[in-house]
Amino acid sequence: MERLPKIGIPLFIGIVILIIFIAKSTVTIQSGEAGVLYRTFADGVVTDKPPLSEGFHLVAPWNKVFVYEVRQQSIDEEMTVLSSNGLEISLDASVWFQPEYAALGKLHQEKGENYIQRLLQPAIRSATRAVVGRYNPEQLYASKREAIQKEIFDETNLLLEDQYVQVNEVLVRDVSLPPTIKDAIERKLRQEQESLEYEFRLSKAEQEAERQRIDAEGKARANRILSESLTDKVLQEKGIQATLELSKSPNAKTIVIGSGESGLPLILGNN
């Protein structure tokens, strides 16, 4: 019984050491994450194998695991860049990105955990400066936002080629111009709109005038043809036909005596 304390103390110490060893040897990778293994007594960062996936892993306590988020992430950038004519343009953009899963070891080895600050943000800013510098303020303000988004996206991907980072989308949220430039552009746009409206009204008026001219010419041509076709003989025949039709009416009693100066029957009266 006297030897139990002497045995119990080393046993207790051994259990504590075992617990610490196990705790240091286990790693849990959360959802949307992956781990890069660093072997202290081997070749360092493991790049020839896939990263550690989600779940529970046993790792030698002298090795390390660096955990990265591998699902899509977003960063917001507020930048001041120069347009093609040298004016300062404030631009706010959001970038959706994620590290390339299969190349996570390479990313950690070559760029490190701060790859967003070291790699991604400088690429976005450089691409934005290059793209905005191709346009004047009016183009940036009025109609080129979608084109700018696509060009920044393409330029950023070009800069990040073989850099182990995937850019999924660039969204330009706002383009701000100096107030004086913005006011001048808005005045010009209003004037252009008013000019277009005036041209439209003028075109409609010209079309209506042309329609009326064609209609008048058509009526004049018809009247001329009709006038040329109405000879005295034709008129006399039409008058006789009208008189015959009138004489057939049950509500009419007409006395015809002789003829008028035009050669048509003369109607003296009716009831």
Side-chain angles (χ1 to χ4, degrees):
M1 296 292 294
E2 295 178 356
R3 298 182 59 186
L4 284 177
K6 296 181 180 180
I7 297 174
I9 292 174
L11 181 62
F12 176 75
I13 295 173
I15 292 172
V16 171
I17 292 173
L18 180 62
I19 292 172
I20 295 173
F21 181 85
I22 293 174
K24 290 288 187 179
S25 301
T26 59
V27 175
T28 301
I29 307 296
Q30 302 297 328
S31 176
E33 297 178 340
V36 175
L37 180 61
Y38 178 85
R39 291 174 174 164
T40 304
F41 301 112
D43 297 326
V45 178
V46 176
T47 58
D48 56 348
K49 293 181 181 179
L52 300 178
S53 59
E54 299 173 4
F56 182 81
H57 299 271
L58 285 173
V59 179
W62 50 84
N63 294 335
K64 294 181 181 179
V65 175
F66 297 89
V67 179
Y68 283 80
E69 186 172 0
V70 293
R71 56 192 160 197
Q72 180 173 278
Q73 303 163 66
S74 175
I75 59 170
D76 297 331
E77 286 290 322
E78 297 181 1
M79 297 164 279
T80 300
V81 292
L82 299 180
S83 64
S84 60
N85 56 358
L87 289 174
E88 287 190 350
I89 308 296
S90 297
L91 186 143
D92 294 346
S94 294
V95 180
W96 298 347
F97 71 97
Q98 59 194 112
E100 294 180 3
Y101 185 86
L104 200 58
K106 287 283 188 180
L107 178 66
H108 179 75
Q109 185 180 57
E110 298 180 18
K111 312 301 177 185
E113 294 178 280
N114 296 325
Y115 71 94
I116 295 176
Q117 294 77 19
R118 293 177 178 176
L119 177 67
L120 183 60
Q121 288 179 320
I124 295 169
R125 292 165 185 168
S126 176
T128 302
R129 285 194 296 270
V131 171
V132 173
R134 300 169 189 162
Y135 296 96
N136 60 46
E138 184 177 345
Q139 292 173 317
L140 295 171
Y141 181 78
S143 60
K144 294 294 185 180
R145 184 169 300 189
E146 290 185 1
I148 291 168
Q149 287 185 170
K150 185 178 185 309
E151 290 184 31
I152 294 175
F153 174 78
D154 293 339
E155 288 278 349
T156 303
N157 275 317
L158 187 63
L159 292 171
L160 294 177
E161 188 175 3
D162 299 326
Q163 298 296 319
Y164 321 118
V165 177
Q166 172 183 318
V167 174
N168 298 330
E169 189 63 83
V170 173
L171 304 174
V172 175
R173 301 194 310 272
D174 184 52
V175 177
S176 300
L177 308 179
T180 54
I181 302 299
K182 181 180 178 181
D183 292 342
I185 291 173
E186 289 179 347
R187 284 196 303 270
K188 181 180 178 182
L189 292 176
R190 283 197 300 269
Q191 291 170 357
E192 289 178 351
Q193 184 64 32
E194 291 171 357
S195 177
L196 290 174
E197 290 177 359
Y198 175 77
E199 289 178 3
F200 175 76
R201 290 197 299 270
L202 185 62
S203 175
K204 291 290 290 184
E206 290 176 350
Q207 291 175 5
E208 179 62 19
E210 180 67 13
R211 185 194 67 78
Q212 292 179 0
R213 184 186 66 79
I214 294 173
D215 184 57
E217 289 181 353
K219 289 180 179 179
R221 189 179 299 110
N223 290 336
R224 187 170 59 252
I225 294 172
L226 180 62
S227 178
E228 291 174 354
S229 65
L230 292 178
T231 63
D232 292 342
K233 190 171 182 179
V234 171
L235 290 173
Q236 185 177 10
E237 183 179 352
K238 294 291 184 182
I240 293 172
Q241 290 178 354
T243 304
L244 290 175
E245 292 295 328
L246 184 61
S247 67
K248 295 176 183 179
S249 172
N251 298 322
K253 295 180 180 180
T254 306
I255 299 174
V256 181
I257 301 175
S259 63
E261 294 180 357
S262 63
L264 298 175
L266 180 62
I267 302 174
L268 296 179
N270 60 353
N271 296 320

